[in-house]
Amino acid sequence: MESILEKIRENIKEELLKDEIVIDSITFETEGKYHFLRIVLDKTGGIDLDTIVKATNIINPILDKLDLIEEEYILDVLNE
């Protein structure tokens, strides 16, 4: 799974950097019967909800195109 997460990072990093958004971490976690692909982001000055939505709209089509994860999962884009 680590190589898949690294490939995801490589593919979304440049697009996010265009908006000065950086990736803190990417994890794939199971909670109960659900799988979550969690992508934690940061930006100088902080991230607001609009930036999270924008980042999600950047990330989603890239993940769909890559289609690297066989399991169904919930994409969780957040900042900490």
Side-chain angles (χ1 to χ4, degrees):
M1 181 55 73
E2 285 301 313
S3 63
I4 290 172
L5 298 179
E6 188 55 38
K7 187 169 278 201
I8 290 170
R9 178 186 294 270
E10 290 169 13
N11 280 273
I12 65 175
K13 180 177 156 182
E14 293 303 317
E15 287 301 313
L16 292 173
L17 280 175
K18 290 178 183 178
D19 290 300
E20 300 176 356
I21 302 168
V22 295
I23 303 166
D24 276 348
S25 65
I26 301 177
T27 58
F28 190 77
E29 302 170 7
T30 301
E31 294 179 11
K33 62 181 180 176
Y34 298 103
H35 302 289
F36 293 88
L37 176 62
R38 290 209 167 94
I39 302 177
V40 180
L41 304 174
D42 200 2
K43 182 176 180 174
T44 302
I47 290 187
D48 59 12
L49 185 57
D50 290 336
T51 305
I52 292 291
V53 170
K54 185 174 189 175
T56 302
N57 290 331
I58 291 169
I59 293 167
N60 243 336
I62 295 170
L63 293 178
D64 288 345
K65 184 177 178 182
L66 291 172
D67 196 26
L68 295 172
I69 301 175
E70 292 182 22
E71 297 92 347
E72 288 188 21
Y73 64 89
I74 298 166
L75 175 61
D76 189 12
V77 179
L78 61 146
N79 72 318
E80 295 217 30

Coordinates of all heavy atoms in Angstrom, one line a residue:
M1 N 0.8 -1.2 0.0 CA 0.0 0.0 0.0 C 0.9 1.3 0.0 O 0.5 2.3 -0.6 CB -0.9 0.0 1.2 CG -1.9 1.2 1.3 SD -2.9 1.5 -0.1 CE -4.1 0.2 0.0
E2 N 2.0 1.2 0.6 CA 2.9 2.4 0.7 C 3.3 2.9 -0.7 O 3.3 4.1 -1.0 CB 4.2 2.1 1.5 CG 3.9 2.1 3.0 CD 3.4 3.4 3.5 OE1 3.9 4.5 3.2 OE2 2.4 3.3 4.3
S3 N 3.6 2.0 -1.6 CA 3.9 2.4 -3.0 C 2.7 3.0 -3.7 O 2.9 4.0 -4.5 CB 4.5 1.2 -3.8 OG 3.5 0.2 -4.0
I4 N 1.5 2.5 -3.4 CA 0.3 3.2 -4.0 C 0.1 4.6 -3.5 O -0.1 5.5 -4.2 CB -0.9 2.3 -3.7 CG1 -0.8 1.0 -4.5 CG2 -2.2 3.0 -4.1 CD1 -1.9 0.0 -4.2
L5 N 0.3 4.7 -2.2 CA 0.2 6.0 -1.6 C 1.2 7.0 -2.1 O 0.9 8.2 -2.3 CB 0.2 5.9 0.0 CG -0.9 5.1 0.6 CD1 -0.7 5.1 2.1 CD2 -2.3 5.6 0.3
E6 N 2.4 6.5 -2.3 CA 3.5 7.4 -2.9 C 3.1 7.8 -4.3 O 3.4 8.9 -4.7 CB 4.8 6.7 -2.8 CG 6.0 7.6 -3.2 CD 6.1 8.8 -2.3 OE1 5.8 8.8 -1.1 OE2 6.4 9.9 -2.9
K7 N 2.6 6.9 -5.1 CA 2.2 7.2 -6.4 C 1.1 8.2 -6.5 O 1.1 9.1 -7.3 CB 1.8 5.9 -7.2 CG 1.5 6.1 -8.6 CD 1.4 4.8 -9.4 CE 2.8 4.3 -9.7 NZ 2.8 3.3 -10.7
I8 N 0.2 8.1 -5.5 CA -0.9 9.1 -5.4 C -0.3 10.5 -5.1 O -0.6 11.5 -5.7 CB -1.9 8.7 -4.4 CG1 -2.7 7.5 -4.8 CG2 -2.9 9.9 -4.0 CD1 -3.6 6.9 -3.8
R9 N 0.6 10.5 -4.1 CA 1.3 11.8 -3.8 C 2.0 12.4 -5.0 O 1.8 13.6 -5.2 CB 2.3 11.5 -2.7 CG 3.1 12.7 -2.2 CD 4.2 12.4 -1.2 NE 3.7 12.0 0.0 CZ 3.4 12.8 1.0 NH1 3.5 14.1 0.9 NH2 2.9 12.3 2.2
E10 N 2.7 11.6 -5.7 CA 3.4 12.1 -6.9 C 2.5 12.7 -7.9 O 2.8 13.7 -8.5 CB 4.2 11.0 -7.5 CG 5.4 10.5 -6.7 CD 6.0 9.2 -7.3 OE1 5.7 8.8 -8.4 OE2 6.8 8.6 -6.6
N11 N 1.3 12.1 -8.1 CA 0.4 12.5 -9.1 C -0.4 13.7 -8.8 O -0.9 14.4 -9.7 CB -0.5 11.3 -9.6 CG 0.2 10.4 -10.5 OD1 0.2 10.6 -11.7 ND2 0.8 9.4 -10.0
I12 N -0.7 14.0 -7.5 CA -1.5 15.1 -7.1 C -0.7 16.3 -6.6 O -1.2 17.4 -6.6 CB -2.5 14.7 -6.0 CG1 -1.9 14.3 -4.7 CG2 -3.5 13.7 -6.5 CD1 -2.9 14.1 -3.5
K13 N 0.6 16.1 -6.3 CA 1.4 17.1 -5.7 C 1.6 18.3 -6.5 O 1.3 19.5 -6.1 CB 2.8 16.5 -5.4 CG 3.8 17.4 -4.8 CD 5.1 16.7 -4.6 CE 6.3 17.6 -4.5 NZ 7.5 16.8 -4.3
E14 N 1.9 18.2 -7.8 CA 2.1 19.3 -8.7 C 0.9 20.2 -8.9 O 0.9 21.4 -8.9 CB 2.7 18.9 -10.0 CG 4.1 18.3 -9.9 CD 5.1 19.3 -9.3 OE1 5.1 20.5 -9.6 OE2 5.9 18.8 -8.5
E15 N -0.3 19.5 -9.1 CA -1.5 20.2 -9.2 C -1.9 21.0 -8.0 O -2.4 22.2 -8.1 CB -2.7 19.3 -9.6 CG -2.6 18.8 -11.0 CD -2.6 19.9 -12.1 OE1 -3.4 20.8 -12.0 OE2 -1.7 19.8 -13.0
L16 N -1.7 20.5 -6.8 CA -2.0 21.2 -5.6 C -1.0 22.3 -5.4 O -1.4 23.4 -4.9 CB -1.9 20.2 -4.4 CG -3.0 19.2 -4.4 CD1 -2.8 18.2 -3.2 CD2 -4.4 19.8 -4.2
L17 N 0.2 22.2 -5.7 CA 1.2 23.2 -5.5 C 0.9 24.5 -6.4 O 1.3 25.6 -6.0 CB 2.6 22.7 -5.9 CG 3.3 21.9 -4.8 CD1 4.7 21.4 -5.3 CD2 3.5 22.7 -3.5
K18 N 0.2 24.3 -7.5 CA -0.3 25.5 -8.3 C -1.1 26.4 -7.4 O -1.1 27.6 -7.7 CB -1.1 25.0 -9.5 CG -0.2 24.3 -10.5 CD -1.1 23.8 -11.7 CE -0.2 23.0 -12.7 NZ -1.0 22.5 -13.8
D19 N -1.8 25.9 -6.4 CA -2.5 26.7 -5.5 C -1.9 26.8 -4.1 O -2.5 27.1 -3.1 CB -4.0 26.1 -5.3 CG -4.8 26.3 -6.6 OD1 -5.0 27.5 -7.0 OD2 -5.2 25.3 -7.1
E20 N -0.6 26.6 -4.1 CA 0.3 26.7 -2.9 C -0.2 25.7 -1.8 O -0.1 26.0 -0.6 CB 0.3 28.1 -2.4 CG 1.0 29.0 -3.4 CD 1.0 30.5 -3.0 OE1 0.4 30.8 -1.9 OE2 1.6 31.3 -3.7
I21 N -0.8 24.6 -2.1 CA -1.3 23.6 -1.2 C -0.3 22.5 -1.1 O 0.2 22.0 -2.2 CB -2.7 23.1 -1.6 CG1 -3.7 24.2 -1.7 CG2 -3.1 22.0 -0.6 CD1 -5.0 23.8 -2.4
V22 N 0.1 22.1 0.1 CA 1.1 21.1 0.3 C 0.5 19.9 1.0 O -0.5 20.0 1.7 CB 2.4 21.5 1.0 CG1 3.1 22.6 0.3 CG2 2.0 22.0 2.4
I23 N 1.0 18.7 0.7 CA 0.5 17.5 1.3 C 1.3 17.2 2.6 O 2.5 17.1 2.5 CB 0.7 16.3 0.3 CG1 -0.1 16.6 -1.0 CG2 0.2 15.0 0.9 CD1 0.3 15.6 -2.1
D24 N 0.6 17.1 3.7 CA 1.2 16.7 4.9 C 1.3 15.2 5.0 O 2.4 14.6 5.3 CB 0.4 17.1 6.1 CG 0.7 18.6 6.5 OD1 1.7 19.1 6.0 OD2 -0.1 19.1 7.3
S25 N 0.2 14.5 4.7 CA 0.3 13.0 4.8 C -0.9 12.4 3.9 O -1.9 13.0 3.7 CB 0.1 12.5 6.2 OG -1.1 12.9 6.8
I26 N -0.6 11.1 3.6 CA -1.7 10.4 2.9 C -1.7 9.0 3.5 O -0.6 8.3 3.7 CB -1.4 10.2 1.4 CG1 -1.3 11.6 0.7 CG2 -2.4 9.3 0.7 CD1 -0.9 11.5 -0.8
T27 N -2.9 8.6 4.0 CA -3.0 7.3 4.6 C -4.2 6.6 4.1 O -5.2 7.2 3.6 CB -3.1 7.4 6.2 OG1 -4.3 8.2 6.5 CG2 -1.9 8.0 6.8
F28 N -4.2 5.2 4.2 CA -5.4 4.4 3.8 C -5.7 3.7 5.1 O -4.9 2.9 5.6 CB -5.0 3.5 2.7 CG -6.2 2.8 2.1 CD1 -7.1 3.4 1.3 CD2 -6.5 1.4 2.5 CE1 -8.2 2.8 0.8 CE2 -7.6 0.8 2.0 CZ -8.5 1.5 1.1
E29 N -6.9 3.9 5.7 CA -7.3 3.4 7.0 C -8.6 2.7 6.9 O -9.5 3.1 6.1 CB -7.4 4.5 8.0 CG -6.1 5.3 8.1 CD -6.2 6.5 9.0 OE1 -7.3 6.8 9.6 OE2 -5.2 7.3 9.0
T30 N -8.8 1.7 7.7 CA -10.1 1.0 7.8 C -10.7 1.3 9.2 O -10.0 1.2 10.2 CB -9.9 -0.5 7.6 OG1 -9.3 -0.8 6.4 CG2 -11.2 -1.3 7.7
E31 N -11.9 1.7 9.1 CA -12.7 2.0 10.4 C -14.0 1.2 10.2 O -14.8 1.6 9.4 CB -12.9 3.5 10.6 CG -11.7 4.2 10.8 CD -11.9 5.7 11.0 OE1 -13.1 6.1 11.1 OE2 -10.9 6.5 11.0
G32 N -14.1 0.2 11.0 CA -15.3 -0.7 10.9 C -15.3 -1.3 9.5 O -14.3 -2.0 9.1
K33 N -16.4 -1.2 8.8 CA -16.5 -1.8 7.5 C -16.1 -0.8 6.3 O -16.2 -1.1 5.2 CB -17.9 -2.4 7.2 CG -19.0 -1.3 7.3 CD -20.3 -2.0 7.0 CE -21.4 -1.0 7.1 NZ -22.7 -1.5 6.8
Y34 N -15.6 0.4 6.7 CA -15.3 1.4 5.7 C -13.8 1.6 5.6 O -13.1 1.5 6.5 CB -16.0 2.8 6.1 CG -17.5 2.7 6.1 CD1 -18.2 2.6 7.3 CD2 -18.3 2.6 5.0 CE1 -19.6 2.5 7.4 CE2 -19.6 2.6 5.0 CZ -20.3 2.5 6.2 OH -21.7 2.4 6.2
H35 N -13.4 1.9 4.4 CA -12.0 2.3 4.1 C -12.0 3.8 3.7 O -12.8 4.3 3.0 CB -11.5 1.5 2.9 CG -11.6 0.0 3.0 ND1 -10.8 -0.7 3.9 CD2 -12.4 -0.9 2.4 CE1 -11.0 -1.9 3.8 NE2 -12.0 -2.1 2.9
F36 N -11.0 4.4 4.2 CA -10.8 5.9 4.0 C -9.4 6.1 3.4 O -8.4 5.7 4.0 CB -10.9 6.7 5.4 CG -12.2 6.6 6.0 CD1 -12.6 5.6 6.8 CD2 -13.2 7.6 5.7 CE1 -13.9 5.6 7.4 CE2 -14.4 7.6 6.3 CZ -14.8 6.6 7.1
L37 N -9.4 6.9 2.4 CA -8.1 7.5 1.8 C -8.1 8.9 2.4 O -8.9 9.7 2.0 CB -8.1 7.5 0.3 CG -6.9 8.1 -0.3 CD1 -5.6 7.3 0.1 CD2 -7.0 8.2 -1.8
R38 N -7.2 9.1 3.4 CA -7.1 10.4 4.0 C -5.9 11.2 3.5 O -4.8 10.7 3.5 CB -7.0 10.2 5.5 CG -8.3 9.7 6.1 CD -8.5 10.2 7.6 NE -9.8 9.9 8.0 CZ -10.2 8.8 8.6 NH1 -9.3 7.9 9.0 NH2 -11.5 8.7 8.9
I39 N -6.2 12.4 3.0 CA -5.2 13.2 2.5 C -5.2 14.5 3.3 O -6.2 15.2 3.3 CB -5.4 13.5 1.0 CG1 -5.4 12.2 0.2 CG2 -4.3 14.4 0.5 CD1 -5.7 12.4 -1.3
V40 N -4.1 14.7 4.1 CA -4.0 15.9 5.0 C -3.2 16.9 4.3 O -2.1 16.6 3.8 CB -3.4 15.5 6.4 CG1 -3.3 16.7 7.3 CG2 -4.2 14.4 7.0
L41 N -3.8 18.1 4.2 CA -3.2 19.2 3.4 C -2.8 20.4 4.3 O -3.4 20.5 5.4 CB -4.1 19.7 2.3 CG -4.6 18.6 1.4 CD1 -5.6 19.2 0.4 CD2 -3.5 18.0 0.6
D42 N -1.9 21.2 3.8 CA -1.6 22.5 4.5 C -1.3 23.6 3.5 O -1.1 23.3 2.3 CB -0.4 22.3 5.5 CG -0.3 23.3 6.5 OD1 -1.2 24.2 6.6 OD2 0.7 23.2 7.3
K43 N -1.3 24.8 4.0 CA -1.1 25.9 3.1 C -0.6 27.1 4.0 O -1.1 27.2 5.1 CB -2.3 26.3 2.4 CG -2.2 27.5 1.4 CD -3.4 27.7 0.6 CE -3.3 28.8 -0.3 NZ -4.4 29.0 -1.2
T44 N 0.4 27.8 3.5 CA 0.8 29.0 4.3 C -0.4 29.9 4.6 O -1.2 30.2 3.7 CB 1.9 29.8 3.5 OG1 3.0 28.9 3.2 CG2 2.4 31.0 4.3
G45 N -0.6 30.2 5.8 CA -1.7 31.1 6.2 C -2.9 30.2 6.6 O -4.0 30.7 7.0
G46 N -2.8 28.9 6.4 CA -3.9 28.0 6.8 C -4.8 27.7 5.7 O -4.8 28.3 4.6
I47 N -5.7 26.7 5.9 CA -6.6 26.2 4.9 C -8.0 26.4 5.4 O -8.4 26.0 6.5 CB -6.4 24.7 4.6 CG1 -5.1 24.5 3.9 CG2 -7.5 24.1 3.8 CD1 -4.8 23.1 3.4
D48 N -8.9 27.0 4.5 CA -10.3 27.2 4.9 C -11.1 26.1 4.1 O -10.5 25.3 3.3 CB -10.8 28.6 4.6 CG -10.6 29.0 3.1 OD1 -10.3 28.1 2.3 OD2 -10.8 30.2 2.9
L49 N -12.4 26.1 4.4 CA -13.2 25.1 3.7 C -13.2 25.2 2.2 O -13.3 24.2 1.5 CB -14.7 25.2 4.3 CG -15.6 24.1 3.8 CD1 -15.1 22.7 4.1 CD2 -17.0 24.4 4.5
D50 N -13.2 26.4 1.7 CA -13.2 26.6 0.2 C -11.9 26.0 -0.4 O -12.0 25.4 -1.5 CB -13.3 28.1 -0.1 CG -14.6 28.7 0.2 OD1 -15.6 28.0 0.2 OD2 -14.7 29.9 0.4
T51 N -10.8 26.1 0.3 CA -9.6 25.5 -0.2 C -9.7 24.0 -0.2 O -9.2 23.3 -1.1 CB -8.4 26.0 0.6 OG1 -8.4 27.4 0.6 CG2 -7.1 25.5 0.0
I52 N -10.3 23.4 0.9 CA -10.5 21.9 1.0 C -11.3 21.5 -0.2 O -11.0 20.5 -0.8 CB -11.1 21.5 2.3 CG1 -10.1 21.8 3.5 CG2 -11.6 20.1 2.3 CD1 -8.9 20.9 3.5
V53 N -12.4 22.2 -0.5 CA -13.3 21.8 -1.6 C -12.5 21.9 -2.9 O -12.6 21.0 -3.8 CB -14.5 22.7 -1.6 CG1 -15.3 22.5 -2.9 CG2 -15.4 22.5 -0.4
K54 N -11.8 23.0 -3.1 CA -11.0 23.1 -4.3 C -10.0 22.0 -4.5 O -9.8 21.4 -5.6 CB -10.3 24.5 -4.3 CG -9.5 24.8 -5.6 CD -8.9 26.2 -5.6 CE -8.4 26.5 -6.9 NZ -7.9 27.9 -7.0
A55 N -9.3 21.7 -3.4 CA -8.3 20.6 -3.4 C -9.0 19.2 -3.7 O -8.5 18.4 -4.5 CB -7.6 20.5 -2.1
T56 N -10.1 19.0 -3.1 CA -10.9 17.8 -3.4 C -11.3 17.7 -4.9 O -11.1 16.6 -5.5 CB -12.2 17.7 -2.5 OG1 -11.8 17.8 -1.2 CG2 -12.9 16.4 -2.8
N57 N -11.7 18.8 -5.5 CA -12.0 18.8 -6.9 C -10.8 18.6 -7.8 O -10.9 18.2 -8.9 CB -12.7 20.1 -7.2 CG -14.1 20.2 -6.6 OD1 -14.8 19.2 -6.4 ND2 -14.6 21.4 -6.4
I58 N -9.6 18.9 -7.3 CA -8.4 18.7 -8.0 C -8.0 17.2 -7.9 O -7.7 16.5 -8.9 CB -7.2 19.6 -7.5 CG1 -7.5 21.0 -7.9 CG2 -5.9 19.1 -8.0 CD1 -6.5 22.0 -7.1
I59 N -8.1 16.7 -6.7 CA -7.7 15.3 -6.4 C -8.6 14.2 -7.0 O -8.1 13.2 -7.6 CB -7.5 15.1 -4.9 CG1 -6.4 16.0 -4.3 CG2 -7.3 13.7 -4.5 CD1 -6.4 16.1 -2.8
N60 N -9.9 14.4 -6.9 CA -10.8 13.4 -7.3 C -10.6 12.9 -8.7 O -10.5 11.7 -8.9 CB -12.3 13.9 -7.1 CG -13.0 13.1 -6.1 OD1 -12.7 11.9 -5.9 ND2 -14.0 13.7 -5.6
P61 N -10.6 13.8 -9.7 CA -10.4 13.2 -11.1 C -9.0 12.5 -11.3 O -8.9 11.6 -12.1 CB -10.5 14.5 -12.0 CG -10.5 15.6 -11.1 CD -10.8 15.2 -9.7
I62 N -8.0 13.0 -10.6 CA -6.7 12.3 -10.7 C -6.8 10.9 -10.2 O -6.3 10.0 -10.8 CB -5.6 13.2 -10.0 CG1 -5.4 14.5 -10.7 CG2 -4.3 12.4 -10.0 CD1 -4.6 15.5 -10.0
L63 N -7.4 10.8 -9.0 CA -7.6 9.4 -8.4 C -8.4 8.5 -9.3 O -8.1 7.3 -9.5 CB -8.2 9.5 -7.0 CG -7.4 10.2 -6.0 CD1 -8.2 10.2 -4.7 CD2 -6.1 9.4 -5.7
D64 N -9.5 9.1 -9.9 CA -10.3 8.3 -10.8 C -9.5 7.8 -12.0 O -9.7 6.6 -12.4 CB -11.5 9.1 -11.3 CG -12.6 9.3 -10.2 OD1 -12.5 8.6 -9.2 OD2 -13.4 10.2 -10.4
K65 N -8.7 8.6 -12.5 CA -7.9 8.3 -13.7 C -6.8 7.2 -13.3 O -6.6 6.2 -14.1 CB -7.2 9.5 -14.3 CG -6.4 9.2 -15.5 CD -5.8 10.5 -16.1 CE -5.0 10.2 -17.4 NZ -4.4 11.4 -17.9
L66 N -6.2 7.4 -12.2 CA -5.2 6.4 -11.7 C -5.7 5.1 -11.4 O -5.2 4.0 -11.7 CB -4.4 7.0 -10.5 CG -3.5 8.2 -10.7 CD1 -3.0 8.7 -9.4 CD2 -2.4 7.8 -11.6
D67 N -6.9 5.1 -10.7 CA -7.6 3.8 -10.3 C -6.6 2.8 -9.7 O -6.5 1.6 -10.1 CB -8.3 3.2 -11.6 CG -9.3 2.2 -11.2 OD1 -9.8 2.2 -10.0 OD2 -9.6 1.3 -12.0
L68 N -5.9 3.2 -8.7 CA -4.9 2.4 -8.0 C -5.4 1.5 -6.9 O -4.7 0.5 -6.5 CB -3.8 3.3 -7.5 CG -3.0 4.0 -8.6 CD1 -2.0 5.0 -7.9 CD2 -2.2 3.1 -9.5
I69 N -6.5 1.9 -6.3 CA -7.0 1.1 -5.1 C -8.2 0.3 -5.5 O -9.2 0.8 -6.0 CB -7.4 2.1 -4.0 CG1 -6.1 3.0 -3.6 CG2 -7.9 1.4 -2.8 CD1 -6.4 4.1 -2.6
E70 N -8.1 -1.0 -5.3 CA -9.2 -1.9 -5.7 C -10.4 -1.8 -4.7 O -11.5 -1.9 -5.2 CB -8.7 -3.3 -5.7 CG -7.6 -3.6 -6.8 CD -7.2 -5.1 -6.8 OE1 -7.9 -5.9 -6.3 OE2 -6.1 -5.3 -7.4
E71 N -10.2 -1.6 -3.5 CA -11.3 -1.6 -2.5 C -12.1 -0.3 -2.7 O -11.5 0.7 -3.1 CB -10.8 -1.6 -1.0 CG -10.0 -2.8 -0.6 CD -8.5 -2.7 -0.9 OE1 -8.1 -1.8 -1.6 OE2 -7.8 -3.6 -0.4
E72 N -13.4 -0.3 -2.4 CA -14.1 0.9 -2.3 C -13.7 1.7 -1.1 O -13.4 1.1 -0.1 CB -15.6 0.6 -2.2 CG -16.2 0.0 -3.4 CD -17.7 -0.1 -3.3 OE1 -18.3 0.6 -2.5 OE2 -18.3 -1.0 -4.1
Y73 N -13.6 3.0 -1.3 CA -13.1 3.9 -0.2 C -13.8 5.2 -0.2 O -14.4 5.6 -1.2 CB -11.6 4.0 -0.2 CG -11.1 4.7 -1.5 CD1 -11.0 6.1 -1.5 CD2 -10.7 4.0 -2.6 CE1 -10.5 6.8 -2.6 CE2 -10.3 4.7 -3.7 CZ -10.2 6.0 -3.7 OH -9.7 6.7 -4.8
I74 N -13.7 5.9 0.9 CA -14.2 7.3 1.0 C -13.0 8.2 1.0 O -12.0 8.0 1.8 CB -15.0 7.4 2.3 CG1 -16.2 6.5 2.3 CG2 -15.4 8.9 2.5 CD1 -16.9 6.4 3.7
L75 N -13.0 9.2 0.1 CA -11.9 10.1 0.1 C -12.2 11.2 1.1 O -13.2 11.8 1.2 CB -11.8 10.8 -1.3 CG -10.8 11.9 -1.5 CD1 -9.4 11.5 -1.2 CD2 -11.0 12.6 -2.8
D76 N -11.2 11.4 2.0 CA -11.3 12.3 3.1 C -10.2 13.3 3.0 O -9.0 13.0 3.3 CB -11.3 11.5 4.4 CG -11.6 12.4 5.7 OD1 -12.1 13.5 5.5 OD2 -11.4 11.9 6.8
V77 N -10.5 14.5 2.5 CA -9.4 15.5 2.4 C -9.6 16.5 3.5 O -10.7 17.0 3.7 CB -9.6 16.3 1.0 CG1 -8.6 17.4 0.9 CG2 -9.5 15.3 -0.1
L78 N -8.6 16.8 4.3 CA -8.7 17.6 5.5 C -7.4 18.3 5.8 O -6.4 18.1 5.2 CB -9.1 16.7 6.7 CG -8.2 15.6 7.1 CD1 -8.3 15.4 8.6 CD2 -8.6 14.3 6.4
N79 N -7.5 19.2 6.8 CA -6.3 19.8 7.3 C -6.3 19.6 8.8 O -7.3 19.3 9.4 CB -6.2 21.3 7.0 CG -7.2 22.1 7.8 OD1 -8.3 21.7 7.9 ND2 -6.8 23.3 8.2
E80 N -5.1 19.6 9.4 CA -5.0 19.4 10.8 C -4.3 20.5 11.5 O -3.6 21.2 11.0 CB -4.3 18.1 11.1 CG -5.0 16.9 10.6 CD -5.0 15.7 11.4 OE1 -4.8 15.8 12.6 OE2 -5.1 14.6 10.8

